[in-house]
Amino acid sequence: MSETTRSQARRAHHRPLVAAATGGTPSRRPVWFMRQAGRSLPEYRAIRADHGMLESCFDPELVCEITMQPVRRHDVDAAILFSDIVVPLKAAGIDLDIVAGTGPVIAQPIRTAADVAALPRLEPESVGAIAGAIELLLDELPEAAALIGFAGAPFTLASYLIEGGPSRNYARTKSLMHGEPDTWHALMGRLADITIAFLRVQLDAGVDAVQLFDSWAGMLSLADYQTYVAPHSARVFAEVADYGVPRIHFGVGTGELLAAMADAGADVIGVDWRVPLDEAVRRVGPGKAVQGNLDPTLLFAGSDVVEREVRRVIADGERAVRAGATGHIVNLGHGVLPDTDPDVLTRAVELIHAV
Ligand code: 1CP
């Protein structure tokens, strides 16, 4: 089957996640978990014992297998492509690694106008392995499960490039933002280009939805977010709008930013555990779906607590829909923690599908 026919055939099929994201009536309550593929699964750890992180991200068969693992185990309504937000940066030629126990580490941090001017562009062919993985996944995934592609938002990518790795306070990032706004906007523009190119490769290959991770945007004031970040994220959403697939926007600690993040243009707003979903809708306004927002740490608190929290999140989601949200996709408020017992996730999915 040609790529176009294949993706048209898939898009015609009912998928609960897509229905919830677009104001339809899902055949069951959709749920997936950020970081559902990864260290909480022994079958993932077994693969990673023999393969490096970046090596795995550029091997279509390994990407397909790791992406499928949580779908087989938990019966979730979506697979999220196994990858990382720094994969397109690596593919473009930026010298970086993903270090176990730390995260992305950048060999030569980007801090000057000359560094920004020297940034490479992303050629779609350099992420051909990711398109290849998506092709394998579209054959293997159950019809009803959505395949979610993703990318890091320009701000979160910029924070890694400027700081050189994970950061506690983003001092260098905010210094560049305020001290050299022209350099800042040039960097954000280049990163938005890379993000758009990477999302378009995934959309051309046939993903059913995309999520833009602006994980660390919650470190910013509303004013800084609006001035220095929102225009670039808005361009990303605008430039993938023509695919007509749901676009999800997520960050951590973004209670004060929810309305501004929604204005950037996504169809679905991810909410962390700090703000109840119905309150999130009051901040965002009607006409968008919400995603979230179980506290991932409460998966360690025993089955009674998990059941109570799942029921509370579902009730909040129902109130959110009555308050004008177009739907609710159940998820955590941030990623699955590595020590999480995977059986707790499987049982949570069963409960979410049963109530
Ligand atoms: O199942 C899935 O969710 C797919 C896999 C996935 C995703 C969506 C990985 C694999 N990374 C990501 C996105 C990602 N990467 C984000 C956005 C999501 C989020 O907020 O969690 C971010 C911020 C990163 C950066 C990153 N990569 C970190 C965080 C570092 C920090 O600043 O605290 C880490 C630890 C990584 C490495 C990584 N990425 C993925 C995995 C499984 C791992 C661990 C690698 C290992 O197994 O050693």
Side-chain angles (χ1 to χ4, degrees), residues 12-355:
H13 196 278
H14 178 85
R15 267 181 281 283
L17 178 133
V18 174
T22 54
T25 307
S27 56
R28 68 180 187 184
R29 194 185 305 281
V31 54
W32 67 282
F33 302 114
M34 290 182 277
R35 295 281 175 102
Q36 62 188 14
R39 279 176 297 170
S40 67
L41 299 184
E43 56 270 37
Y44 169 80
R45 293 197 298 268
I47 290 183
R48 284 293 318 285
D50 301 326
H51 302 279
M53 176 67 191
L54 279 169
E55 174 202 344
S56 310
C57 290
F58 284 97
D59 179 324
E61 270 157 23
L62 288 180
V63 170
C64 177
E65 170 56 25
I66 297 172
T67 302
M68 285 300 298
Q69 287 176 344
V71 180
R72 293 189 199 112
R73 194 187 255 266
H74 303 311
D75 189 26
V76 278
D77 296 281
I80 180 154
L81 188 70
F82 179 75
S83 190
D84 192 83
I85 59 169
V86 297
V87 160
L89 304 180
K90 177 78 182 175
I94 295 172
D95 187 3
L96 62 85
D97 199 5
I98 298 179
V99 176
T102 300
V105 175
I106 315 297
Q108 278 136 11
I110 307 295
R111 291 178 185 159
T112 66
D115 295 339
V116 174
L119 273 176
R121 307 214 169 247
L122 181 69
E123 300 299 338
E125 307 76 56
S126 66
V127 283
I130 284 83
I134 292 169
E135 197 175 324
L136 297 176
L137 277 160
L138 294 180
D139 282 339
E140 241 188 82
L141 263 183
E143 286 280 17
L147 179 58
I148 303 176
F150 74 90
F155 169 73
T156 290
L157 293 178
S159 78
Y160 285 107
L161 287 178
I162 297 165
E163 304 291 338
S167 172
R168 288 180 75 83
N169 50 31
Y170 302 90
R172 287 181 191 272
T173 305
K174 292 184 188 180
S175 297
L176 186 73
M177 179 185 272
H178 284 269
E180 289 182 55
D182 292 346
T183 305
W184 171 263
H185 283 295
L187 172 61
M188 292 289 278
R190 296 295 285 269
L191 293 173
D193 291 342
I194 290 176
T195 294
I196 291 161
F198 188 48
L199 289 175
R200 284 186 165 272
V201 166
Q202 297 175 61
L203 287 157
D204 285 334
V207 296
D208 302 302
V210 289
Q211 177 153 325
L212 190 69
F213 282 97
D214 212 350
S215 300
W216 314 134
M219 292 300 287
L220 298 173
S221 69
L222 176 59
D224 284 357
Y225 180 80
Q226 285 174 319
T227 305
Y228 297 108
V229 175
H232 302 283
S233 296
R235 185 160 73 83
V236 173
F237 285 118
E239 291 205 23
V240 298
D242 53 337
Y243 288 87
V245 311
R247 298 158 301 165
I248 310 169
H249 198 180
F250 170 77
V252 185
T254 54
E256 299 299 324
L257 307 182
L258 284 172
M261 287 180 75
D263 287 344
D267 309 291
V268 182
I269 301 300
V271 184
D272 83 0
W273 62 91
R274 293 173 179 87
V275 180
L277 293 173
D278 49 337
E279 171 58 21
V281 172
R282 274 186 282 280
R283 297 182 190 186
V284 162
K288 295 188 189 280
V290 285
Q291 176 173 281
N293 66 348
L294 272 169
D295 184 335
T297 65
L298 294 181
L299 298 171
F300 296 84
S303 54
D304 289 353
V305 173
V306 174
E307 174 167 352
R308 190 191 68 208
E309 286 300 301
V310 163
R311 290 183 186 280
R312 183 185 61 72
V313 165
I314 288 172
D316 287 351
E318 286 170 351
R319 272 194 295 279
V321 168
R322 285 197 293 276
T326 52
H328 174 210
I329 298 163
V330 182
N331 204 315
L332 305 177
H334 197 191
V336 175
L337 294 165
D339 296 333
T340 306
D341 175 355
D343 291 341
V344 172
L345 291 171
T346 307
R347 285 196 298 272
V349 172
E350 281 166 11
L351 176 63
I352 291 158
H353 285 155
V355 291

